[in-house]
Amino acid sequence: MPKLKSHSGTKDRVRFTKNGKARVRRSGRNHFLQKKSAATKRKLAGLQTLGSTNAKTLKLRLGA
């Protein structure tokens, strides 16, 4: 059976910490920013840590 390819979209969007937690960008920061409050935009800044179940799924998609 051949090797599985890693999922390219996931590879570009996810980073893992040393402890194995997945860090992804929050959604909602691309457009329609004028109607969102400054507080909302600040909350959407930075990276979001995903739970262990999602991190496990992402690692499988990356072939790790």
Side-chain angles (χ1 to χ4, degrees):
M1 183 152 178
K3 290 183 178 179
L4 294 174
K5 291 187 176 182
S6 59
H7 194 273
S8 298
T10 305
K11 185 172 52 179
D12 294 337
R13 289 172 171 86
V14 179
R15 292 184 201 153
F16 287 96
T17 62
K18 287 184 180 180
N19 294 327
K21 295 178 183 176
R23 304 273 285 160
V24 295
R25 192 175 164 215
R26 291 178 188 271
S27 61
R29 251 334 266 275
N30 285 326
H31 57 110
F32 298 130
L33 295 175
Q34 198 170 20
K35 62 174 78 172
K36 293 173 185 162
S37 68
T40 301
K41 288 185 272 193
R42 279 196 305 273
K43 286 176 187 173
L44 293 175
L47 298 175
Q48 177 182 19
T49 305
L50 294 180
S52 60
T53 307
N54 290 329
K56 196 179 294 184
T57 306
L58 291 173
K59 282 183 184 176
L60 286 174
R61 292 183 86 178
L62 294 175

XYZ file of all heavy atoms in Angstrom:
498
model
N 0.834 -1.179 0.000
C 0.000 0.000 0.000
C 0.885 1.251 0.000
O 1.848 1.332 0.760
C -0.887 -0.017 1.241
C -1.829 1.128 1.305
S -3.299 0.674 2.215
C -4.127 2.219 2.159
N 0.584 2.233 -0.833
C 1.450 3.418 -0.911
C 1.285 4.324 0.307
O 0.306 4.227 1.055
C 0.952 4.118 -2.180
C -0.440 3.672 -2.345
C -0.489 2.271 -1.813
N 2.270 5.189 0.472
C 2.193 6.158 1.569
C 1.080 7.160 1.295
O 0.802 7.489 0.154
C 3.506 6.919 1.693
C 4.654 6.091 2.195
C 5.874 6.985 2.339
C 7.034 6.220 2.885
N 8.226 7.066 2.996
N 0.470 7.659 2.377
C -0.566 8.674 2.236
C 0.077 10.051 2.166
O 1.048 10.322 2.865
C -1.525 8.617 3.425
C -2.370 7.362 3.538
C -3.160 7.398 4.832
C -3.306 7.246 2.362
N -0.480 10.888 1.332
C 0.024 12.255 1.246
C -0.542 13.081 2.391
O -1.678 12.888 2.816
C -0.385 12.892 -0.086
C 0.320 12.289 -1.278
C 0.003 13.080 -2.524
C 0.776 12.539 -3.703
N 0.519 13.314 -4.920
N 0.267 14.027 2.873
C -0.236 14.923 3.916
C -1.160 15.956 3.282
O -0.982 16.339 2.127
C 0.921 15.608 4.628
O 1.689 16.352 3.717
N -2.154 16.401 4.024
C -3.152 17.329 3.525
C -2.545 18.731 3.455
O -2.194 19.320 4.480
C -4.364 17.297 4.456
C -5.572 17.953 3.876
N -5.800 19.300 3.999
C -6.614 17.449 3.175
C -6.939 19.597 3.384
N -7.448 18.482 2.887
N -2.410 19.260 2.248
C -1.688 20.522 2.055
C -2.388 21.701 2.712
O -1.730 22.600 3.246
C -1.525 20.801 0.564
O -0.770 19.786 -0.041
N -3.728 21.734 2.670
C -4.447 22.838 3.289
C -4.244 22.873 4.795
O -4.067 23.937 5.390
N -4.248 21.711 5.407
C -4.024 21.629 6.846
C -2.597 22.015 7.185
O -2.352 22.695 8.184
C -4.314 20.200 7.344
O -5.626 19.833 6.947
C -4.200 20.106 8.841
N -1.666 21.615 6.359
C -0.253 21.897 6.595
C 0.007 23.400 6.663
O 0.811 23.866 7.469
C 0.551 21.263 5.448
C 2.045 21.349 5.579
C 2.725 20.523 4.493
C 2.222 20.872 3.110
N 2.881 20.104 2.043
N -0.704 24.177 5.833
C -0.505 25.618 5.798
C -1.219 26.336 6.939
O -0.850 27.453 7.290
C -1.010 26.189 4.471
C -0.202 25.701 3.288
O 0.964 25.306 3.501
O -0.717 25.713 2.166
N -2.247 25.726 7.538
C -3.100 26.433 8.488
C -2.860 26.084 9.948
O -3.366 26.764 10.833
C -4.573 26.145 8.167
C -5.055 26.811 6.913
C -6.439 26.330 6.537
N -6.991 27.120 5.461
C -6.776 26.892 4.177
N -5.996 25.883 3.817
N -7.312 27.655 3.251
N -2.111 25.039 10.221
C -1.982 24.547 11.587
C -0.521 24.520 12.012
O 0.354 24.165 11.227
C -2.568 23.119 11.699
C -2.418 22.575 13.101
C -4.007 23.109 11.285
N -0.292 24.923 13.271
C 1.028 24.762 13.882
C 0.828 23.996 15.180
O -0.204 24.116 15.825
C 1.645 26.113 14.219
C 2.020 26.939 13.044
C 2.695 28.199 13.514
N 2.614 29.205 12.469
C 2.632 30.504 12.672
N 2.721 30.971 13.899
N 2.560 31.344 11.676
N 1.824 23.231 15.584
C 1.739 22.469 16.814
C 2.760 22.979 17.821
O 3.880 23.322 17.469
C 1.977 20.975 16.544
C 0.824 20.320 15.846
C 0.821 20.174 14.477
C -0.257 19.861 16.565
C -0.240 19.582 13.832
C -1.325 19.264 15.931
C -1.317 19.129 14.569
N 2.348 23.025 19.087
C 3.248 23.427 20.151
C 4.132 22.245 20.528
O 3.943 21.131 20.032
C 2.450 23.890 21.382
O 1.675 22.784 21.854
C 1.530 25.043 21.047
N 5.062 22.473 21.439
C 5.937 21.386 21.871
C 5.159 20.274 22.571
O 5.541 19.114 22.520
C 7.004 21.928 22.826
C 8.064 22.751 22.152
C 9.117 23.173 23.143
C 10.178 23.996 22.456
N 11.214 24.430 23.411
N 4.074 20.659 23.246
C 3.272 19.670 23.955
C 2.243 18.992 23.070
O 1.459 18.177 23.548
C 2.557 20.323 25.140
C 3.543 20.781 26.188
O 4.576 20.156 26.377
N 3.239 21.871 26.857
N 2.181 19.365 21.776
C 1.287 18.697 20.846
C -0.059 19.359 20.673
O -0.951 18.779 20.062
N -0.237 20.572 21.221
C -1.510 21.268 21.036
C -1.514 21.947 19.673
O -0.482 22.437 19.215
C -1.706 22.314 22.128
C -1.851 21.723 23.514
C -1.992 22.816 24.538
C -2.053 22.227 25.930
N -2.084 23.292 26.958
N -2.672 21.983 19.043
C -2.799 22.600 17.722
C -3.146 24.067 17.875
O -4.009 24.432 18.674
C -3.870 21.879 16.917
N -2.479 24.926 17.100
C -2.742 26.363 17.107
C -3.197 26.759 15.713
O -2.500 26.494 14.731
C -1.479 27.131 17.476
C -0.869 26.736 18.791
C -1.441 27.480 19.939
N -0.930 28.828 19.948
C -1.501 29.837 20.574
N -2.590 29.631 21.254
N -0.986 31.022 20.540
N -4.378 27.380 15.617
C -4.924 27.797 14.332
C -5.386 29.246 14.420
O -5.624 29.769 15.510
C -6.108 26.907 13.888
C -5.669 25.488 13.620
C -7.211 26.935 14.913
N -5.532 29.872 13.268
C -6.006 31.242 13.202
C -7.516 31.275 13.425
O -8.228 30.380 12.976
C -5.674 31.799 11.811
C -5.857 33.275 11.700
C -5.389 33.760 10.341
N -5.930 35.089 10.127
C -6.320 35.563 8.972
N -6.233 34.821 7.893
N -6.796 36.769 8.872
N -7.999 32.291 14.112
C -9.431 32.408 14.356
C -10.146 32.858 13.092
O -9.586 33.589 12.279
C -9.707 33.415 15.465
C -9.257 32.945 16.824
C -9.520 34.013 17.840
N -8.941 33.684 19.111
C -9.559 32.997 20.049
N -10.778 32.580 19.870
N -8.963 32.739 21.188
N -11.383 32.440 12.961
C -12.162 32.845 11.801
C -12.801 34.200 12.055
O -12.947 34.634 13.208
C -13.243 31.807 11.507
O -14.102 31.705 12.608
N -13.199 34.880 10.988
C -13.924 36.127 11.120
C -13.072 37.377 11.036
O -13.517 38.451 11.425
N -11.840 37.272 10.551
C -10.962 38.433 10.485
C -10.628 38.827 9.048
O -9.667 39.553 8.819
C -9.640 38.099 11.181
C -9.293 38.722 12.516
C -9.897 40.030 12.843
N -9.092 41.189 12.525
C -8.164 41.712 13.287
N -7.873 41.172 14.433
N -7.523 42.788 12.916
N -11.388 38.356 8.064
C -11.037 38.615 6.680
C -11.780 39.790 6.065
O -11.173 40.633 5.427
C -11.285 37.367 5.824
C -10.218 36.327 6.046
O -9.071 36.664 6.277
N -10.598 35.065 6.011
N -13.078 39.856 6.258
C -13.843 40.946 5.636
C -15.013 41.297 6.531
O -15.237 40.673 7.570
C -14.300 40.561 4.220
C -15.122 39.332 4.151
N -16.451 39.324 3.848
C -14.807 38.032 4.392
C -16.907 38.088 3.870
N -15.940 37.285 4.210
N -15.770 42.325 6.163
C -16.854 42.890 6.980
C -16.335 43.350 8.335
O -16.983 43.184 9.364
C -18.002 41.888 7.179
C -18.677 41.466 5.917
C -18.881 40.133 5.646
C -19.110 42.405 4.999
C -19.511 39.737 4.478
C -19.747 42.021 3.841
C -19.944 40.692 3.567
N -15.142 43.942 8.346
C -14.546 44.364 9.607
C -15.085 45.705 10.076
O -14.952 46.049 11.250
C -13.023 44.430 9.468
C -12.339 43.092 9.202
C -10.871 43.289 8.955
C -12.569 42.139 10.341
N -15.705 46.453 9.171
C -16.175 47.786 9.531
C -17.340 47.721 10.516
O -17.470 48.563 11.398
C -16.602 48.535 8.268
C -16.701 50.025 8.439
C -16.883 50.707 7.096
O -17.283 50.075 6.135
N -16.583 51.983 7.040
N -18.174 46.700 10.403
C -19.330 46.587 11.292
C -19.008 45.905 12.609
O -19.833 45.895 13.507
C -20.476 45.846 10.593
C -20.149 44.413 10.210
C -21.372 43.691 9.667
C -21.645 44.097 8.235
N -22.698 43.265 7.630
N -17.809 45.348 12.746
C -17.425 44.694 13.993
C -16.764 45.709 14.921
O -16.040 46.599 14.470
C -16.458 43.539 13.715
C -17.121 42.408 12.972
C -16.164 41.345 12.549
C -16.905 40.316 11.717
N -16.026 39.489 10.928
N -17.022 45.568 16.201
C -16.448 46.505 17.165
C -14.950 46.244 17.312
O -14.444 45.163 16.978
C -17.131 46.358 18.521
O -16.819 45.107 19.090
N -14.257 47.231 17.854
C -12.814 47.099 18.066
C -12.525 45.980 19.049
O -11.544 45.241 18.899
C -12.242 48.421 18.567
N -13.382 45.823 20.058
C -13.188 44.751 21.036
C -13.311 43.382 20.384
O -12.538 42.463 20.678
C -14.207 44.887 22.155
N -14.272 43.236 19.487
C -14.442 41.960 18.787
C -13.230 41.645 17.935
O -12.739 40.517 17.921
C -15.698 42.007 17.903
O -16.834 42.281 18.718
C -15.906 40.691 17.189
N -12.726 42.667 17.238
C -11.563 42.442 16.383
C -10.328 42.092 17.198
O -9.522 41.259 16.781
C -11.320 43.668 15.508
C -12.362 43.811 14.420
C -12.057 44.954 13.496
C -12.662 46.228 14.021
N -12.659 47.307 13.025
N -10.189 42.669 18.372
C -9.062 42.320 19.247
C -9.181 40.880 19.731
O -8.182 40.155 19.810
C -8.998 43.257 20.451
C -8.352 44.582 20.172
C -7.981 45.297 21.456
N -9.116 45.469 22.353
C -9.972 46.488 22.317
N -9.851 47.433 21.398
N -10.944 46.572 23.196
N -10.400 40.456 20.042
C -10.602 39.077 20.501
C -10.288 38.064 19.408
O -9.888 36.934 19.687
C -12.037 38.884 20.980
C -12.309 39.526 22.317
C -13.763 39.385 22.694
C -14.073 40.188 23.950
N -15.505 40.202 24.250
N -10.493 38.465 18.155
C -10.242 37.554 17.038
C -8.771 37.514 16.630
O -8.386 36.700 15.801
C -11.091 37.964 15.834
C -12.601 37.806 15.993
C -13.312 38.366 14.779
C -12.974 36.362 16.218
N -7.960 38.401 17.191
C -6.542 38.444 16.828
C -5.806 37.263 17.456
O -6.253 36.687 18.443
C -5.927 39.751 17.291
N -4.683 36.926 16.884
C -3.850 35.879 17.445
C -4.313 34.489 17.061
O -5.192 34.311 16.226
N -3.707 33.512 17.683
C -3.988 32.117 17.383
C -4.869 31.502 18.459
O -4.853 31.918 19.613
C -2.686 31.322 17.278
C -1.728 31.752 16.174
C -0.443 30.951 16.266
C -2.359 31.573 14.824
N -5.621 30.490 18.067
C -6.528 29.786 18.961
C -5.978 28.386 19.197
O -5.506 27.723 18.280
C -7.900 29.709 18.299
C -8.931 28.949 19.066
C -10.243 28.875 18.315
O -10.276 29.084 17.115
N -11.309 28.577 19.005
N -6.019 27.926 20.450
C -5.585 26.575 20.778
C -6.783 25.643 20.682
O -7.827 25.900 21.270
C -5.008 26.518 22.198
O -3.979 27.487 22.301
C -4.431 25.158 22.490
N -6.620 24.567 19.935
C -7.710 23.609 19.769
C -7.626 22.512 20.818
O -6.572 22.260 21.389
C -7.641 22.972 18.375
C -7.882 23.896 17.200
C -7.778 23.107 15.915
C -9.235 24.555 17.287
N -8.748 21.852 21.046
C -8.804 20.763 22.007
C -8.049 19.543 21.528
O -7.624 19.446 20.376
N -7.897 18.586 22.417
C -7.086 17.409 22.116
C -7.702 16.550 21.022
O -6.983 15.955 20.209
C -6.895 16.578 23.374
O -8.148 16.157 23.868
N -9.048 16.490 20.952
C -9.701 15.676 19.929
C -9.427 16.230 18.540
O -9.098 15.481 17.611
C -11.219 15.630 20.167
O -11.450 15.228 21.499
C -11.879 14.655 19.233
N -9.557 17.543 18.396
C -9.279 18.162 17.100
C -7.807 18.067 16.744
O -7.446 17.865 15.584
C -9.713 19.633 17.115
C -11.209 19.780 17.142
O -11.925 18.942 16.609
N -11.688 20.826 17.769
N -6.935 18.199 17.717
C -5.496 18.109 17.462
C -5.134 16.713 16.949
O -4.315 16.567 16.038
C -4.712 18.430 18.727
N -5.779 15.699 17.515
C -5.518 14.326 17.086
C -5.931 14.132 15.627
O -5.216 13.517 14.831
C -6.286 13.364 17.991
C -5.828 11.929 17.924
C -6.635 11.063 18.862
C -6.386 11.424 20.301
N -7.101 10.515 21.231
N -7.097 14.699 15.254
C -7.577 14.600 13.880
C -6.634 15.306 12.917
O -6.326 14.800 11.840
C -8.986 15.221 13.773
O -9.833 14.611 14.736
C -9.570 15.017 12.392
N -6.163 16.479 13.316
C -5.258 17.240 12.450
C -3.929 16.511 12.262
O -3.356 16.528 11.173
C -5.026 18.632 13.046
C -6.234 19.546 13.023
C -5.935 20.813 13.792
C -6.637 19.865 11.613
N -3.440 15.870 13.302
C -2.186 15.119 13.179
C -2.343 13.957 12.205
O -1.422 13.645 11.438
C -1.748 14.601 14.546
C -1.115 15.667 15.400
C -0.647 15.096 16.704
C -0.109 16.202 17.583
N 0.269 15.713 18.901
N -3.527 13.321 12.209
C -3.769 12.246 11.251
C -3.777 12.772 9.822
O -3.271 12.124 8.910
C -5.100 11.567 11.566
C -5.129 10.654 12.782
C -6.543 10.173 13.042
C -4.195 9.476 12.572
N -4.348 13.982 9.624
C -4.394 14.556 8.281
C -2.999 14.917 7.785
O -2.736 14.919 6.590
C -5.280 15.795 8.272
C -6.727 15.477 8.499
C -7.566 16.688 8.416
N -7.919 16.940 7.036
C -8.699 17.932 6.627
N -9.202 18.770 7.500
N -8.982 18.085 5.361
N -2.101 15.217 8.711
C -0.735 15.572 8.334
C 0.165 14.349 8.207
O 1.323 14.457 7.825
C -0.152 16.555 9.350
C -0.818 17.913 9.376
C -0.261 18.761 10.489
C -0.671 18.621 8.049
N -0.357 13.205 8.575
C 0.432 11.982 8.443
C 1.455 11.807 9.526
O 2.467 11.118 9.347
N 1.249 12.435 10.674
C 2.228 12.332 11.770
C 1.839 11.247 12.747
O 0.731 10.856 12.876
C 2.329 13.661 12.505
